[in-house]
Amino acid sequence: MIMTAPASMTLNGTVKSYRWQWQGQPITITYEIVGSGSPVLLLPALSTVSNRNEMAALATGLAPYYEVFAIDWPGFGDSDRLRLDYQPALYQQFLQDFVTAQFNEPIAVVAAGHGAGYAAALQDVCSKLVLVAPTWRGPLAVMGAPAGVRSGLRELVRSPLIGQALYSINTQPAFLKWMYRRHVFVNEERLTPDYLAQRHRSTQQPGGRYAPAAFVTGGLDPVQTRAEFLALVDRLSIPIMVMVAEQAPPSSKAEMEAIAALPHVQTARLPGTLGMAEEYGEAIAAAMLPFLQAANG
């Protein structure tokens, strides 16, 4: 029987900070460590409400066997949310620098959602890669909004007053509930008032709108076509596993199945949609453990 995680979980580990610079701008990144053993890095999906606690159930399942690191991406969660031009190059460089600074040898990486595209660039410092409900297109791109419209909306959300007002409307608990019901969770009973209030609070930090605006409008898409995304994964010589979300929206599931069809990729299909890393974290941990524990060969 596959169980969902409790409606709200936290990592309850050791919280640390990583000091980083992007184009001369200091940025403080928050990350958290639980468990002991060989290191595994967890990369949460990018979204308006992205934060490391989405990986708490998954981390709980891995912590008896591994030292688990979970990050808040720059501009999300408890990391600095500065008024920067958030773009793929920033996240690619951050991830490479973080892994190089924290670990002395290649590590296993578990990446959810958009984290998949960035994790796939870690060829030299990654020993194994698990992609959980991987995606590469932001929501408005999936909906077919033209690039010019998306770029204009991104700049509007970045603007004073109007931008903050738009962001506030799109992060109200009622809107978050609609979003979760549409494509994030399968079990609507998880969407309690307390859970939604917690998620709403996570969006309200100063500067909170800049990175989410870039994500929603496609500004953080690591590639522009499915062919590019598949080539990014296919070129890796390390063991790769993909977790396909059985209830994912058709367009997103098609991208997951395309990765699963690559000849050297191991595949597991589990209940869930785009938020499966949070909703079914313990089941996902159990499914990936044999893969993580197998000797590379």
Side-chain angles (χ1 to χ4, degrees):
M1 180 178 180
I2 295 180
M3 302 293 291
T4 62
S8 180
M9 291 185 67
T10 56
L11 286 156
N12 295 320
T14 302
V15 179
K16 295 192 174 185
S17 296
Y18 169 62
R19 311 288 183 179
W20 184 62
Q21 285 200 1
W22 169 251
Q23 298 181 343
Q25 174 67 60
I27 305 174
T28 299
I29 308 299
T30 299
Y31 65 102
E32 195 163 346
I33 305 172
V34 295
S36 61
S38 299
V40 174
L41 176 62
L42 305 185
L43 305 177
L46 297 178
S47 72
T48 304
V49 293
S50 174
N51 73 74
R52 66 189 187 277
N53 284 321
E54 294 169 20
M55 310 297 274
L58 202 164
T60 297
L62 296 178
Y65 312 96
Y66 296 98
E67 184 180 31
V68 181
F69 291 69
I71 68 165
D72 279 331
W73 292 103
F76 296 93
D78 293 326
S79 293
D80 282 349
R81 301 191 179 199
L82 306 178
R83 194 181 190 279
L84 301 176
D85 178 15
Y86 291 97
Q87 56 185 276
L90 182 154
Y91 290 92
Q92 290 160 354
Q93 191 63 57
F94 156 70
L95 194 53
Q96 185 72 38
D97 291 348
F98 180 83
V99 172
T100 301
Q102 298 296 323
F103 309 107
N104 297 320
E105 58 185 9
I107 60 164
V109 178
V110 179
H114 254 52
Y118 295 116
L122 293 174
Q123 165 80 19
D124 297 332
V125 293
C126 181
S127 61
K128 291 187 177 183
L129 179 60
V130 181
L131 307 177
V132 181
T135 59
W136 58 268
R137 288 189 296 173
L140 290 184
V142 172
M143 294 169 62
V149 172
R150 291 186 277 116
S151 177
L153 180 59
R154 180 163 61 250
E155 291 307 310
L156 185 61
V157 175
R158 288 174 60 87
S159 67
L161 300 179
I162 293 177
Q164 185 59 45
L166 286 172
Y167 179 72
S168 296
I169 291 170
N170 285 276
T171 54
Q172 289 300 309
F175 184 86
L176 294 179
K177 184 175 183 178
W178 174 82
M179 178 186 71
Y180 271 92
R181 291 176 62 185
R182 188 169 183 225
H183 56 238
V184 181
F185 285 169
V186 174
N187 181 8
E188 296 183 13
E189 293 180 359
R190 293 175 55 92
L191 302 177
T192 65
D194 285 348
Y195 178 83
L196 293 169
Q198 180 191 69
R199 305 305 279 168
H200 175 254
R201 286 194 299 272
S202 76
T203 68
Q204 299 305 300
Q205 297 186 30
R209 70 186 188 273
Y210 300 117
F215 165 72
V216 169
T217 57
L220 301 186
D221 294 354
V223 295
Q224 297 304 309
T225 67
R226 177 190 289 183
E228 288 181 84
F229 189 66
L230 293 179
L232 195 63
V233 176
D234 195 37
R235 71 178 178 82
L236 297 174
S237 59
I238 59 175
I240 303 170
M241 185 177 197
V242 61
M243 302 284 184
V244 176
E246 291 182 328
Q247 286 82 35
S251 60
S252 297
K253 189 174 183 181
E255 305 298 342
M256 301 174 202
E257 293 289 5
I259 299 173
L262 294 173
H264 66 298
V265 173
Q266 297 186 39
T267 303
R269 291 176 173 80
L270 294 170
T273 181
L274 300 185
M276 69 185 298
E278 181 177 5
E279 186 175 13
Y280 294 97
E282 292 182 11
I284 290 171
M288 73 174 64
L289 270 173
F291 171 80
L292 293 176
Q293 293 172 339
N296 289 2

